[in-house]
Amino acid sequence: MVSYFTIDATGENTNFQKEISNMMHGFGDNPNPNAATVVLVEDIVLQQLRSMLQEASNYSILRGSTEISNHDIIFLMRKNPVKLRRLYNYQLKMDLIDATRPHVANPPTALLTKIGLEDDKDRIKKKRTHTDVISEIDEADEVSLVKFDAIDYLRKVRAAKITESMSFEKYEAYHKARCSSFRSGYGLNRGFVKLEQWINPTGELQITQLALEVLCFLAYETVAELVDAVFLIRQDSKKKSGDPFSKFEGGYFCNPQSLNNAVYIKSGYEGVPAITVAEVREVLRRYFTPTTGINGLFYRNMSNDLPVRYIAL
């Protein structure tokens, strides 16, 4: 059985621990996340992305291509119309941001070499094609029928609740955490250089920039799903025997009904306990446990029935 708790990172110096720490805080974790938890989440995300790349590589070979494109990555998402819709909206927002950046629309020639200027112009001309790929895959128009994203809504409600009593300084720090991502940056150095070095350190796979952008989105969603799942586990732990409404007493930002009473203990957010390694491991245990039934966990061929699963999908 594949282990999702450790990873062989021999020869790799690139890491996203700082970014993941900020993301976890942005999704509702303590402002000082547990360092061991951050390392575990990083390992999980890396395992997930490399599994996606391996499967996407097989699809690219079937297409007769030597490089992995965004089409191959998005094809992995074909069974989740909600995530496809979220990616669709993500592209529209990124296109709008790029269009409003003055240094992207009119790059300063004084700061660019001739080659750099030509590369930046090519990048401007090259439009994202995620929406085209999604439209091609979505033959039944399921993506267009998704009008409301409940999970995304709950995340926004949680963030709004967290920031209710924040001072300006704390809100500014929280806003920066919310802006964290797996992108390398913006401006002349924008792109996914760091992400590519992280998931493809040997350069064995040829990955397009558009594919890296989709992987960046999925990596971000993986962190978000893990944090969401931890809050659900905490919600379950608050259940009391004989009291079906005990889990809605608040405190962990899981449900709109519990958000009415969910407040942090100190200064708006310091009182939330940091997510622990044990909680993340419990998330994985529940996610990768085979379907229970007449055989359950005692099924002899259990390991053969475990397909590759992606938390973000």
Side-chain angles (χ1 to χ4, degrees):
M1 186 183 300
V2 179
S3 172
Y4 288 88
F5 300 103
T6 59
I7 187 169
D8 182 12
T10 305
E12 298 179 24
N13 297 320
T14 306
N15 68 77
F16 279 91
Q17 293 177 15
K18 181 179 180 180
E19 291 85 350
I20 291 176
S21 178
N22 290 333
M23 290 178 207
M24 292 175 65
H25 172 37
F27 289 124
D29 193 13
N30 190 279
N32 297 306
N34 186 300
T37 306
V38 172
V39 173
L40 176 59
V41 171
E42 183 189 36
D43 289 349
I44 295 169
V45 174
L46 184 56
Q47 283 276 14
Q48 292 275 291
L49 292 184
R50 287 182 172 174
S51 296
M52 291 179 190
L53 279 176
Q54 186 61 47
E55 189 170 351
S57 176
N58 296 333
Y59 292 138
S60 66
I61 293 174
L62 292 176
R63 292 190 301 105
S65 175
T66 58
E67 61 181 9
I68 300 174
S69 70
N70 60 333
H71 188 286
D72 302 312
I73 305 297
I74 295 175
F75 187 73
L76 299 176
M77 307 169 61
R78 64 191 182 280
K79 296 182 180 180
N80 194 329
V82 175
K83 286 295 174 68
L84 286 174
R85 182 67 183 185
R86 201 175 297 171
L87 175 61
Y88 187 97
N89 295 334
Y90 170 79
Q91 174 187 329
L92 298 181
K93 292 176 183 177
M94 294 306 299
D95 287 341
L96 180 62
I97 291 174
D98 286 346
T100 56
R101 279 203 191 99
H103 66 271
V104 173
N106 299 297
T109 56
L111 299 177
L112 294 172
T113 62
K114 181 179 180 181
I115 297 178
L117 180 59
E118 292 176 354
D119 291 342
D120 200 71
K121 286 182 178 179
D122 292 338
R123 189 182 296 115
I124 297 170
K125 293 178 181 178
K126 188 175 183 180
K127 302 295 183 181
R128 294 183 176 87
T129 60
H130 308 327
T131 54
D132 299 332
V133 176
I134 293 173
S135 299
E136 179 183 344
I137 293 177
D138 185 33
E139 297 179 352
D141 294 330
E142 293 179 311
V143 176
S144 60
L145 294 177
V146 177
K147 303 299 182 182
F148 179 70
D149 189 340
I151 302 300
D152 185 62
Y153 171 76
L154 287 178
R155 291 173 185 171
K156 292 177 180 177
V157 173
R158 186 191 308 156
K161 189 65 181 180
I162 290 173
T163 56
E164 275 185 353
S165 57
M166 278 187 181
S167 64
F168 175 78
E169 291 76 13
K170 291 178 180 179
Y171 182 82
E172 185 178 20
Y174 182 74
H175 173 70
K176 290 181 179 179
R178 294 275 294 175
C179 293
S180 298
S181 72
F182 288 85
R183 294 177 67 97
S184 302
Y186 298 102
L188 302 180
N189 296 321
R190 72 186 185 131
F192 308 96
V193 177
K194 183 178 178 181
L195 178 64
E196 185 172 12
Q197 292 175 347
W198 189 50
I199 62 178
N200 187 29
T202 62
E204 180 181 358
L205 300 175
Q206 299 297 322
I207 313 172
T208 66
Q209 287 295 305
L210 292 176
L212 288 170
E213 185 171 56
V214 180
L215 288 171
C216 174
F217 167 81
L218 292 176
Y220 183 84
E221 283 294 317
T222 302
V223 178
E225 292 285 354
L226 288 171
V227 175
D228 291 343
V230 168
F231 290 142
L232 290 174
I233 288 175
R234 289 182 176 180
Q235 185 181 25
D236 289 342
S237 68
K238 295 173 67 64
K239 292 181 181 179
K240 298 177 182 178
S241 178
D243 185 1
F245 298 101
S246 60
K247 66 179 181 179
F248 297 125
E249 292 179 358
Y252 294 116
F253 313 96
C254 306
N255 188 289
Q257 297 181 31
S258 67
L259 288 173
N260 295 328
N261 299 319
V263 292
Y264 284 104
I265 299 174
K266 300 178 182 178
S267 304
Y269 66 97
E270 289 93 345
V272 166
I275 295 175
T276 64
V277 171
E279 288 174 325
V280 176
R281 288 179 180 273
E282 176 61 16
V283 170
L284 296 181
R285 186 193 69 80
R286 296 189 183 190
Y287 188 80
F288 290 102
T289 295
T291 304
T292 57
I294 191 170
N295 295 315
L297 293 176
F298 299 98
Y299 186 42
R300 291 183 178 180
N301 297 322
M302 180 182 67
S303 59
N304 296 329
D305 291 343
L306 283 178
V308 177
R309 301 188 64 187
Y310 304 118
I311 296 174
L313 304 182

